[in-house]
């Protein structure tokens, strides 16, 4: 595919900036702290992820600093709440890269903000690690310093679609999302994927997340003969309304989709706890109980550590905390081993294989900056929530 | 399907109608519209959830406290944002002062309460049924309010005094009516009606700060269509709006429904700026 | 007519548009803007770029909200529109890629059209209703952006446009936006000091009087909405470039509020005030990270404080000129001899005939078969008890109400009924029962409003400070100063009108009417509230006006004044003409004495 003039411009700007920053960056004093720029959305409509991830991140930074820092240098976490607003994310990202001259950026944590901030961070030649799922947020040519330590939308949708079509064996599927960037991108990606797997998509639609009445939508799905509902949204209110309405209609079909279906916030908005049955959110193998009811050893140890640090788990998801915990540790390891310059960090990351994170194993190559592995994405039972982790969904052998 | 449209439509329409009445009662007392009408409605839901869920009070107490809070907010609206600008020569300052106050309340709610919709408690201990309480609570609140207001305005002295100060301010003052106190009382009443709307509609709309601008707009449409100051027009307009909205939601989906409502709103206003039941504007020279 | 009258006047201040005060905003912005890169902080550069972009939008919106007084809260709709149009055209998804400059231009055109669409309801709706419709528009545009996935990318959004070299780099882009911001500052300053700016303010604060001097509300508002819409859309394109990627959730209600509040705290009718307001509101949240979450709350508090305490905003606080105390015991000393410079001698007599005018309001017959003939060169008094229809008659003549029967003829041609704004061109001027002036403008500006219809420059010529505009301004200022000198108020020319005494305001209205070089002048109770001495001087002034060739219709309650100076008198009672004749005849008329004059 021919590279458009715009892509060439961005690419050359990014590489020039990288070179320039490498050549002209002054030598850093050995005792200067490592500045990690951090762009969570702690308030605003898409803040549930940010709040959860934040707990893990703060724990990781504290542990590293208490153990003496990175090669004797303390980590300074420079936080800017993006308030789920791309405009503020752009301002904040610029402040972090240009005024605070951070060594590396962790975030933004939401796709809508990352879409705006990532090109700018790339232009300023700062390495970036983010956990956003929208596919186009990594691109080794456009954003050579941007890495993702979470699955892509394709991977997530693939796992959910596989469960619905091959395990639940539903032939007619309804796909619904909210109207955010993440929601609509997911919808656009997954509907064709379902069709490739041989399912019939009898309903697809995006609805405003604060619409109080989803009954018309579910009635339409019912009228079309849907055998499974797949919602894609991180908005707990929206998801809870789907679950509640399904029960009000006395409609017994599975709901399979976004991880937030299983969060404590969604649970709080359900009218009756039994409505949570037959709800199967995405989850991650490392944060799921197996058939024997046990977590993987690494996760067990992590949960212990969270408990000791008195971190609340009941109103969020374990994998968010785990993800937040892994981020700074990936950065710390790269800086410790290779140095704090951009090419050094990126160069180290480009070679990582099966890095043992609590959330998942991460592997990167110079050609692929999406580090999460397919096999580690699974579906689980929402109402098996225990200490922020879940049991695998039924019928799940693989 | 039809039942769902009708029940949701009438219930939401009743909430919009009550907010329209809030606008009207404030207008009747001061000849100005206040942006706080919808905000007070939103706070009805938030205070209800706060008192009953978070603080664990019994439903009746939470209800009364919410209404009281609404009345207090109505009074603050009058004292802070309406009274000071009524005296000024510039007639349009009230739009700005009430807008500012409404924004302040909204942002405060977003920051202190939550930016996410929070659950609203189940008010009466009956289960969800055929014609659920989340529907008939707002509808009966609307009916009771309009009956109450009609009785107030036509049968009681205080109510007639309210009417007097809105019809002819100077004459009423010349007769010795305590204009200021009556206006404050009107605003208190309006505030209570607003929180009543939010409280009874709480289960449908959840306790969410974003309901403020939503109710501001959808609560104003009945006023615009039904005519300024006409409570009956507001009820008719509100119910019609609710039904239209749910029908459109079902037929074409949420996004186009809002577009449809807005287009109808603006077309009606352009054709008949004073609404269907309103009076033509008075002499201006 | 003698334009370049040499008058023994105090030194006339140079054209406002050329004075230091007017150039101040542009100059300050240029200096501050050029100095910023020297600080070397490119993060500040991003914030400054954002402020410049917002100012491009706010400068246009300022004309709508600050000058015209229209409460357009939902203007972010045009920012959204411009951002998407520019981005989609540059991305090449719908049609082949266009250059960023061309895309911006097209966005401007689209913005102009939609600015008009959003603004048009203002001509029909009351303030609050119009505010609501703009809010509705803002929601609709965002919804459409979400729904129209094939073009706008829906919730995923589109990448923003990239300007070509040398404006692609952050500082380069900053200079581009700064340049546009400077251009907008300069252009809107020019408009502010033109008949368009004065007319807008007149429409805002004295709409009825504005019509009387010929200001056409629809034409003016249409122009301003087109201009403002175009600027907002261009700002949108620049915004998309700054963001590098736009999604519908970037266009929040908070932004609309920010623009609107920036104008209000800056002060309506000012350019410098809203400029400072925009910069402050953009920069404020950046200086304290915890402030970010509270930013909208603080804006709202600021707005409330301004509305309650300093409605004139920052501009008012910076208006040191108008804090200087005025002379206490001022006297109004008209100089009727100067009227020769204002009112041109007319070759022949003109007649204004009222034929059988009838008009009822509801069930009340305000005027009934009223007939009257007004000649140029004559002072014709119109008297009668309260409620007899005098003001209604004036209002029918000046075109505010069409009569239900009968007509008004000017030299045998019937005047268009109900067309108040057309009277100025017919050289029919009037004053009002209660002075209708723009309190926040200077006396001179108020009088210059009378010269609106004499202006020849188009909006664009004024925008760009072209020669015809400068000539218009010079002419208008000279005419206004002469009129003020004639009524004896030239010493107060640069004082804010709301600082004047009631009697002085009445004379200012007369000056404003004189600038129209009226063939016929309608005065509605000009002596009300005047002292005895002032009434005498008023009388002399009116007489001289009529000797110059103007026909004066004088509605009054001061019987002495009427009988002193009128050539003819008509008496109305209960809407009908009771008697008509010379003052002597009327004074002795039995019915008139019974109904009105008393023994």
């Amino acid at each position: 595919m021919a590279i458009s003039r715009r892509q060439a411009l961005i690419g050359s700007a990014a590489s020039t900036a990288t070179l320039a920053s490498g050549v002209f960056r002054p030598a850093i004093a050995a005792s200067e702290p490592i500045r990690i720029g951090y762009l969570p959305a702690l308030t605003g409509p898409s803040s549930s992820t940010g709040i959860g991830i934040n707990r893990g991140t703060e724990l990781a930074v504290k542990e590293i600093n208490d153990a003496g820092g990175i090669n004797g240098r303390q980590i300074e976490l420079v936080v800017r709440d993006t308030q789920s607003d791309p405009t503020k994310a752009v301002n904040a990202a610029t402040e972090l890269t240009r005024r605070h001259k951070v060594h590396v950026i962790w975030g933004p944590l939401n796709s809508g903000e990352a879409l705006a901030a990532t090109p700018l961070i790339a232009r300023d030649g700062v390495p970036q690690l983010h956990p956003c799922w929208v596919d186009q947020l990594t691109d080794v040519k456009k954003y050579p310093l941007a890495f993702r330590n979470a699955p892509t939308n394709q991977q997530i949708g693939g796992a959910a679609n596989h469960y619905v079509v091959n395990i639940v064996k539903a032939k007619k599927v309804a796909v619904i999302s909210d109207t955010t960037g993440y929601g609509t991108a997911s919808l656009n990606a997954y509907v064709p994927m379902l069709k490739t797997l041989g399912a019939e998509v009898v309903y697809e639609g995006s609805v405003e997340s604060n619409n109080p009445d989803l009954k018309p939508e579910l009635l339409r799905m019912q009228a079309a003969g849907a055998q499974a509902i797949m919602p894609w949204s991180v908005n707990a209110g929206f998801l809870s309304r789907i679950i509640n309405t399904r029960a009000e209609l006395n409609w017994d079909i599975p709901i399979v989709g976004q991880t937030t279906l299983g969060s404590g916030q969604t649970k709080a908005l359900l009218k009756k706890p039994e409505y949570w049955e037959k709800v199967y959110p995405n989850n991650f193998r490392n944060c799921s109980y197996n058939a024997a009811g046990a977590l993987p050893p690494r996760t067990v140890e992590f949960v212990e550590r969270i408990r000791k640090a008195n971190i609340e788990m009941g109103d969020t998801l374990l994998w968010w905390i785990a993800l937040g915990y892994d981020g700074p540790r990936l950065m710390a390891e790269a800086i410790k081993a290779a140095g704090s310059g951009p090419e050094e960090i990126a160069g180290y990351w480009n070679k990582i294989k099966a890095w043992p994170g609590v959330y998942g194993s991460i592997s990167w190559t110079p050609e692929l900056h999406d580090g999460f592995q397919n096999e580690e994405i699974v579906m689980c039972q929402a109402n098996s929530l225990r200490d922020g982790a879940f049991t695998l969904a039924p019928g799940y052998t693989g | 399907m039809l039942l769902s449209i009708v029940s949701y439509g009438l219930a939401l329409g009743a909430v919009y109608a009550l907010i329209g009445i809030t606008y009207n009662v404030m207008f009747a007392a001061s000849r100005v519209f206040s942006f706080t009408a919808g905000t007070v409605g939103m706070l009805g839901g938030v205070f209800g959830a706060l008192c009953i869920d978070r603080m664990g009070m019994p439903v009746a107490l939470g209800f009364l406290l919410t209404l009281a809070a609404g009345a207090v907010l109505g009074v603050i609206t009058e004292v802070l944002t309406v009274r000071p600008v009524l005296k000024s020569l510039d007639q349009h300052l009230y739009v700005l002062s009430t807008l500012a106050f409404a924004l302040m309340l909204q942002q405060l709610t977003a920051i202190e309460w939550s930016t996410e919709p929070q659950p609203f408690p189940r008010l009466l201990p009956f289960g969800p049924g055929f014609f659920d309480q989340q529907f008939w609570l707002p509808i009966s609140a609307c009916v009771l309010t309009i009956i109450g207001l009609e009785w107030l305005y036509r049968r009681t002295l205080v109510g007639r005094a309210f009417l007097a100060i809105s019809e002819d301010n100077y004459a009423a003052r010349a007769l010795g009516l305590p204009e200021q106190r009556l206006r404050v009382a009107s605003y208190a009443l309006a505030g209570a009606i607003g929180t009543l709307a939010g409280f009874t509609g709480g289960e449908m709309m959840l306790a969410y700060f974003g309901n403020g601008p939503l109710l501001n707009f959808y609560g104003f449409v009945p006023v615009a269509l039904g005519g300024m100051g006409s409570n009956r027009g507001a009820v008719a307009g509100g119910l019609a709006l609710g039904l239209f909205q749910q029908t459109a939601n079902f037929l074409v989906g949420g996004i186009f429904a809002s577009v449809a409502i807005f287009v109808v709103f603006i077309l009606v206003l352009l054709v008949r700026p004073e609404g269907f039941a309103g009076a033509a504007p008075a002499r201006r020279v | 007519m003698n334009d370049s009258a040499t008058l023994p006047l105090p030194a006339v201040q140079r054209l406002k548009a050329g004075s230091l005060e007017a150039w101040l905003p542009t100059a300050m912005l240029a200096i501050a803007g050029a100095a910023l890169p020297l600080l070397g902080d490119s993060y500040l550069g991003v914030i400054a770029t954002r402020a410049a972009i917002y100012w491009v939008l706010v400068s246009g919106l300022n004309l709508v909200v600050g000058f015209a007084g229209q409460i357009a809260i939902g203007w972010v709709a045009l920012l959204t529109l411009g951002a998407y149009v520019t981005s989609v055209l540059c991305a090449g998804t719908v049609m082949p890629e266009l250059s960023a400059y061309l895309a911006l231009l097209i966005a401007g055109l689209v913005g102009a059209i939609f600015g008009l669409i959003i603004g048009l309801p203002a001509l029909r709706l009351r303030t609050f209703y119009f505010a609501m419709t703009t809010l509705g528009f803002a929601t609709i545009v965002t919804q459409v952006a979400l729904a129209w996935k094939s073009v706008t990318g829906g919730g995923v959004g589109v990448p923003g446009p990239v300007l070509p070299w040398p404006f692609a780099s952050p500082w380069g882009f900053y200079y581009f936006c700064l340049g546009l911001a400077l251009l907008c500052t300069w252009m809107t300053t020019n408009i502010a000091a033109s008949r368009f700016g004065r007319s807008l303010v007149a429409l805002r604060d004295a709409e009825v009087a504005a019509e009387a001097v010929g200001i056409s509300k629809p034409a003016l508002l249409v122009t301003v909405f087109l201009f403002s819409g175009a600027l907002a859309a261009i700002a949108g394109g620049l915004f998309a470039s700054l963001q590098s990627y736009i999604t519908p959730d970037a266009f929040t209600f908070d932004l609309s509020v920010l623009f609107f509040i920036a104008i209000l705290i800056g002060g309506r009718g000012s350019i410098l005030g809203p400029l400072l307001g925009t910069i402050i509101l953009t920069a404020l949240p950046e200086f304290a990270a915890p402030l970010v979450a509270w930013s909208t709350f603080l804006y709202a508090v600021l707005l409330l404080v301004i509305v309650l305490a300093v409605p004139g905003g920052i501009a008012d606080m910076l208006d040191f000129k108008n804090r200087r105390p005025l002379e206490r015991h001022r006297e109004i000393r008209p100089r009727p001899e100067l009227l020769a410079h204002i009112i041109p001698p007319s070759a022949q007599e003109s007649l204004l005939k009222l034929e059988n005018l009838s008009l009822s309001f509801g069930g009340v017959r305000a005027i009934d078969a009223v007939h009257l003939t007004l000649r140029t060169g004559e002072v014709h008094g119109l008297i009668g008890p309260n409620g007899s229809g005098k003001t209604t008659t004036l209002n029918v003549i000046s075109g505010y109400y069409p009569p239900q029967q009968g007509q008004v003829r000017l030299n045998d041609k019937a005047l268009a009924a109900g067309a108040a704004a057309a009277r100025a061109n017919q050289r029919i001027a009037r004053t009002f029962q209660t002075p209708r002036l723009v309190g926040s403008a200077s006396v001179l500006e108020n009088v210059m409003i009378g010269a609106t219809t004499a202006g020849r420059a188009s909006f664009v010529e004024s925008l760009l400070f072209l020669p015809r505009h400068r000539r218009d301004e010079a002419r208008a200022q000279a005419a206004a100063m002469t009129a003020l000198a004639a009524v004896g108020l030239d010493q107060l020319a640069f004082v804010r009108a709301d600082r004047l005494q009631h009697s002085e305001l009445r004379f200012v209205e007369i000056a404003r009417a004189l600038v129209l070089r009226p063939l016929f002048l309608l005065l509605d109770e000009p002596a009300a509230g005047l002292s005895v001495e002032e009434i005498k001087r008023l009388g002399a002034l009116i007489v001289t006006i009529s000797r110059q060739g103007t026909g004066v219709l004088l509605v009054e309650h001061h019987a002495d004044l009427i009988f002193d100076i009128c050539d003819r008198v008509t008496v109305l009672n209960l809407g009908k003409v009771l008697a008509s004749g010379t003052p002597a005849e009327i004074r002795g008329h039995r019915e008139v004495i019974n109904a009105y004059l008393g023994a």
Side-chain angles (χ1 to χ4, degrees), chain B residues 71-85:
Chain B
V72 167
L73 282 172
V75 172
I76 299 180
T77 304
E78 198 277 330
V79 170
L80 189 62
T81 63
V82 173
R83 193 187 304 182
V85 300

Side-chain angles (χ1 to χ4, degrees), chain A residues 13-27 101 122-127 145 341-343:
Chain A
S15 33
T16 314
T18 318
L19 279 172
S21 58
V23 171
F24 294 117
R25 196 174 277 262
K101 304 240 189 314
R123 182 183 58 188
D124 287 342
V126 178
L145 301 177
E343 329 70 51

Side-chain angles (χ1 to χ4, degrees), chain B residues 148-207:
Chain B
L149 283 178
E150 296 271 307
W151 174 79
L152 178 74
Y153 285 143
R154 291 186 205 293
R155 292 296 162 87
T156 66
L157 197 57
V158 174
R160 282 191 237 149
F162 282 155
L163 284 178
I165 59 166
S166 78
E167 281 258 359
D168 191 339
N169 199 296
Y170 289 123
R173 280 195 291 181
L175 284 175
L177 289 179
E179 184 210 4
Q180 184 121 295
R181 258 186 271 165
L182 284 173
R183 200 164 55 228
V184 170
S186 270
Y187 267 75
L189 177 64
I193 295 177
T195 42
L196 177 67
F199 189 86
T200 50
E203 213 183 313
M204 280 188 299
M205 305 187 71
L206 298 183

Side-chain angles (χ1 to χ4, degrees), chain A residues 285-366:
Chain A
R285 207 172 266 277
N286 280 346
C287 299
S288 304
Y289 300 105
N290 60 16
L295 288 172
R298 203 188 297 154
T299 319
V300 170
E301 187 217 4
F302 178 64
V303 170
E304 256 318 294
R305 221 176 303 154
I306 298 180
R307 280 227 189 82
K308 273 217 201 84
N310 281 328
I311 291 181
E312 179 59 54
M313 280 193 287
D315 62 345
T316 182
L317 293 176
L318 178 64
W319 70 265
W320 280 335
I321 307 178
L323 171 60
Y325 184 77
D326 283 347
R329 293 196 321 126
L330 269 166
M331 297 174 183
E333 184 170 309
I335 296 175
K336 190 178 201 142
S340 56
E343 329 70 51
E344 290 156 346
I345 297 177
Y348 185 85
W349 280 347
N350 269 329
K351 301 203 206 89
I352 274 189
K353 291 270 172 303
W355 183 83
V358 181
Y359 172 49
S361 316
I362 304 294
S363 304
W364 284 313
T365 69

Side-chain angles (χ1 to χ4, degrees), chain C residues 59 67 72 85 123 128 176 184 197 210 232 308 319 327 373 450 459 467 520 576 586:
Chain C
S59 63
F67 283 73
V85 169
L123 293 171
F128 194 83
F176 186 75
C184 290
L308 294 181
D319 190 8
E327 211 190 300
T373 303
F459 187 79
F520 290 103
K576 292 197 181 47
I586 296 298

Side-chain angles (χ1 to χ4, degrees), chain C residues 333-344:
Chain C
R333 291 186 182 283
R335 289 151 67 202
E337 66 275 13
L338 291 174
L339 287 167
H341 294 290
I342 301 172
I343 302 175

Side-chain angles (χ1 to χ4, degrees), chain A residues 171-220:
Chain A
K171 293 276 171 300
K172 298 188 175 179
V173 186
V175 187
I176 183 171
S177 80
D178 66 12
T179 48
T180 59
Y182 167 70
T184 47
S186 310
L187 190 80
N188 289 342
Y190 302 161
V191 166
M193 285 164 70
L194 275 170
K195 292 182 181 160
T196 323
L197 283 178
E200 189 190 336
V201 177
V202 297
Y203 169 98
E204 65 176 281
S206 298
V207 181
E208 281 238 317
S209 51
N210 55 13
N211 186 332
D213 177 25
L214 291 175
K215 214 179 254 177
E217 307 302 316
L218 267 78
L219 283 170
R220 269 196 273 176

